[in-house]
Amino acid sequence: MSVTASAAGARSEAGQGDSVALAGFGYRQELHRSLGQYASFAAGFSFISVLTTVFQFFAFGFSFGGAAFFWTWPAVLAGQLLVAACFAELAARYPLSGAIYQWSTRLSTPSFGWFAGWIMVIGQMVVVAAAALALQVVLPAIWSGFQLVGTDSSPASASGAANAALLAVALLVVTTVVNLLDNRVMSVVNRVGVTAEIVGAVLIVVLLFTHADRGPGVTLHTGGQGGAIGALLVGSFTAAYVLIGFDSAGELSEETRSPRRTAPRTILLALAAAGVLGGLLLLGGVLAAPSLTDGRLGTEGLSYVLTSTLGEGVGRALLVDVVVAIAVATLAIQTSGSRMLFSMARDGSLPGAGLLAKVSPRTGMPTATALTVGVAAAALCLLNLASPEAFLAIGTTCIAMLYLAYLMVTAPMLLRRLRGRYDTTRADTTHPDTTDESGKPLFSLGRWGLPVNALACLYGVAMTVNLAWPRATVYDPAGGHWYFQWFTILFLLATVGLGGLYRAFVARRGRRPDPLKSVSTPAADAASTAGSPVR
């Protein structure tokens, strides 16, 4: 037998084992399981997409925090690594699509888990819109012909905001089409795009540092809007917006080979790699900027640094790579959101669940969910036509929602640890094995679990409050738009309110809204054998 045939046979056997493990949770293998380690890493890294998000929010962070906003990056990265460590432990035990929804449900109650999934999926739709709007930051800088509306390309201007909406909708049409194809096509596009992004990011970092005009000591000076502490709290929005989405490797567990072994690694690796590259991009941009005082760095961001410092030709060539990163990030986030919708729909806990839960036997893709996320994101992008302030409101709202959804996983996880009802050595009630697909022990934080989990919760609470705080100077600088100042809180309340109304409607009709197949919850544990650990 040839080496190729042997490898194919091994993959087939592993895939059958993964399908059997999935059946233990009560689910059939409908999504095509074809993703390897690099594809899993690419899912998390492309959601984070340092080029997309750093270019999109660099100007905002600098305008508030000055050069010192760089230090918010390692602080946020440390907090997110704590969260990612908790997620890695859960990914080894619950390798299921709709990770946040599934994890929260099994750690708490079906009702609490449903709201975590609901907030997460709405947040993901907003993130898709925010990522697509990032095209406005780079395309007009490459060629003025991409400015289809007016002449001012700044996303904060009326013409820039309107143009951003048009470019974003065009991109969403493309990503939706790709999401309707076979997941192998999606995986290839994702892997190629991530590779190009990593190469491009490394090249940009090298060029920025070799063209530095000042030393790192400049990062000790803040911009001073609202005082040093207030400026840095707002400046941290940049890092908070960039360093999310690492859980996507868990979202695609049902399409990943050997997910118990692969997903925990790729969750941590994607965040760590993005954290290092993003931090170097921020520092390089500050050190290589032609000026820190002419105001352009706070309005045009890194695009201005590249074209001014490296020359128009080189700068624009590198910006093309940023466009690729934005497109791939939008695709990855839309894919992640569609899997969350699919996971909730197959449990019958969403409106139109029958349609949303359908998977094409030919492509292995949940087509209705991809269309739903794409259309919803496009509608949110059109808010930009109403006012330039929508650009920032959309971006900040999506971050706050994801942070809240993450907290709805780490908080019940912490409660279980404190009650001595979280067994890190086992999988779950239907999978009591203690090893992953390779026979090695499941990823575990061991004795560090409790302090890491506790710090992850404290960080999550602090950042959620920081992001949602209705600062007029941030969300409504021109005044007269109170709804933008309170947009994040209002959107969160509307999301929870709509979810509550749906669940109340379902309850009145006598339907069970959370028909999960294999759920380990506190209530279920109480009814089980006394002293039996939660798994």
Side-chain angles (χ1 to χ4, degrees), residues 80-419:
Q80 290 296 70
L81 281 171
L82 295 170
V83 177
C86 295
F87 285 5
E89 200 171 66
L90 292 170
R93 289 152 184 77
Y94 309 111
L96 300 167
S97 292
I100 300 298
Y101 158 65
Q102 296 283 355
W103 298 341
S104 182
T105 297
R106 286 168 167 78
L107 291 168
S108 56
T109 65
S111 180
F112 187 85
W114 186 90
F115 274 102
W118 175 249
I119 291 171
M120 183 68 182
V121 76
I122 300 298
Q124 285 172 322
M125 292 177 182
V126 185
V127 178
V128 175
L133 288 170
L135 281 179
Q136 181 63 25
V137 182
V138 289
L139 278 182
I142 296 173
W143 178 48
S144 59
F146 286 117
Q147 185 64 35
L148 307 174
V149 180
T151 57
D152 190 345
S153 62
S154 171
S157 68
S159 60
N163 197 68
L166 297 180
L167 295 177
V169 171
L171 175 58
L172 286 168
V173 171
V174 175
T175 58
T176 301
V177 170
V178 175
N179 255 304
L180 296 178
L181 302 175
D182 192 288
N183 74 341
R184 287 171 294 186
V185 175
M186 180 270 296
S187 176
V188 169
V189 173
N190 209 19
R191 282 178 288 160
V192 171
V194 164
T195 302
E197 179 174 4
I198 292 174
V199 171
V202 171
L203 182 58
I204 291 172
V205 167
V206 171
L207 290 173
L208 288 176
F209 275 91
T210 55
H211 288 76
D213 287 336
R214 56 191 65 85
V218 71
T219 59
L220 299 177
H221 304 286
T222 64
Q225 291 195 42
I229 295 178
L232 291 178
L233 286 174
V234 177
S236 69
F237 286 16
T238 298
Y241 179 68
V242 176
L243 299 173
I244 55 174
F246 44 86
D247 54 296
S248 289
E251 292 286 359
L252 298 182
S253 287
E254 291 181 33
E255 295 159 82
T256 303
R257 295 188 292 269
S258 302
R260 291 189 191 273
R261 180 179 75 252
T262 301
R265 296 178 182 179
T266 51
I267 285 173
L268 292 169
L269 183 58
L271 178 59
V276 172
L277 274 177
L280 292 174
L281 277 172
L282 257 65
L283 182 59
V286 169
L287 301 185
S291 172
L292 300 181
T293 58
D294 65 359
R296 295 186 65 184
L297 196 57
T299 56
E300 300 174 50
L302 277 183
S303 298
Y304 152 68
V305 178
L306 291 190
T307 55
S308 300
T309 303
L310 305 180
E312 291 288 334
V314 175
R316 288 177 178 174
L318 292 172
L319 287 178
V320 171
D321 190 63
V322 178
V323 172
V324 173
I326 292 172
V328 173
T330 305
L331 171 65
I333 302 167
Q334 185 176 0
T335 301
S336 183
S338 69
R339 298 307 183 269
M340 177 68 75
L341 268 182
F342 163 74
S343 183
M344 296 182 72
R346 71 177 170 185
D347 286 334
S349 56
L350 284 178
L355 177 62
L356 293 173
K358 287 185 178 179
V359 176
S360 168
R362 182 180 63 83
T363 66
M365 302 287 271
T367 54
T369 59
L371 285 169
T372 300
V373 175
V375 171
L380 286 167
C381 287
L382 294 179
L383 286 176
N384 247 35
L385 297 174
S387 174
E389 281 81 4
F391 183 85
L392 180 59
I394 290 172
T396 308
T397 297
C398 70
I399 318 171
M401 294 189 72
L402 263 62
Y403 268 78
L404 180 58
Y406 288 175
L407 184 59
M408 294 177 76
V409 172
T410 57
M413 188 181 190
L414 177 61
L415 287 176
R416 284 205 163 196
R417 288 186 191 276
L418 293 172
R419 294 170 179 170

Side-chain angles (χ1 to χ4, degrees), residues 19 22-23 25-31 254 342 346 357 517:
S19 298
L22 180 61
F25 287 102
Y27 298 120
R28 291 185 296 110
Q29 183 70 57
E30 296 180 278
L31 304 174
E254 291 181 33
F342 163 74
R346 71 177 170 185
K517 276 63 175 180

Side-chain angles (χ1 to χ4, degrees), residues 474-489:
V474 176
Y475 301 114
D476 188 24
H481 300 90
W482 65 269
Y483 43 86
F484 279 125
Q485 179 182 344
W486 293 86
F487 187 87
T488 298
I489 294 176

